[in-house]
Amino acid sequence: WMLLHFQHFGPIVEVGCGANAYWSKWMNGEGGVDVVAFDMSLDAGGKIGSGSRKKSSNKKAKQNKVNNNDDGSAKTGGLVIRLGNPETLAKDEEIRDSDRAL
């Protein structure tokens, strides 16, 4: 039922998605929601796990670096993950002037 709400209010912009971007990936992958997600640190922000899982987290960080475009974003079918924070939204005309729900 929650996914229906995201689909209803999409397209979506998420601020503080974390390096894993779990919510954005779920909304896009499971519900086809068009999402632009931002985090201040695409390689380390909001990672879940510690100690014994550190190895897999490092692998994920490397994947993010590989998948990043020159502008600091990673794109995958209706999901864009970009380096940024709330100030980025105010400065980015395309996002600011869009009809995306926050």
Side-chain angles (χ1 to χ4, degrees):
W1 63 267
M2 191 180 337
L3 190 54
L4 293 174
H5 294 286
F6 290 118
Q7 290 169 330
H8 174 77
F9 287 106
I12 304 278
V13 63
E14 179 184 9
V15 179
C17 67
N20 296 315
Y22 287 119
W23 279 100
S24 294
K25 288 178 181 175
W26 176 76
M27 286 187 281
N28 179 260
E30 294 295 319
V33 179
D34 181 357
V35 182
V36 176
F38 291 89
D39 197 85
M40 292 173 34
S41 176
L42 294 178
D43 292 328
K47 285 201 169 185
I48 298 172
S50 63
S52 63
R53 301 186 86 182
K54 194 168 189 168
K55 213 176 214 179
S56 65
S57 294
N58 286 339
K59 182 179 179 184
K60 185 67 174 178
K62 288 177 186 173
Q63 288 175 344
N64 282 344
K65 286 180 187 174
V66 170
N67 292 331
N68 283 349
N69 296 313
D70 291 338
D71 65 355
S73 67
K75 297 179 183 177
T76 172
L79 171 62
V80 179
I81 303 170
R82 294 176 49 186
L83 185 63
N85 57 32
E87 292 176 359
T88 305
L89 298 180
K91 295 176 184 175
D92 188 320
E93 288 184 28
E94 182 180 350
I95 295 294
R96 187 184 65 228
D97 296 339
S98 72
D99 289 332
R100 293 184 177 275
L102 178 62

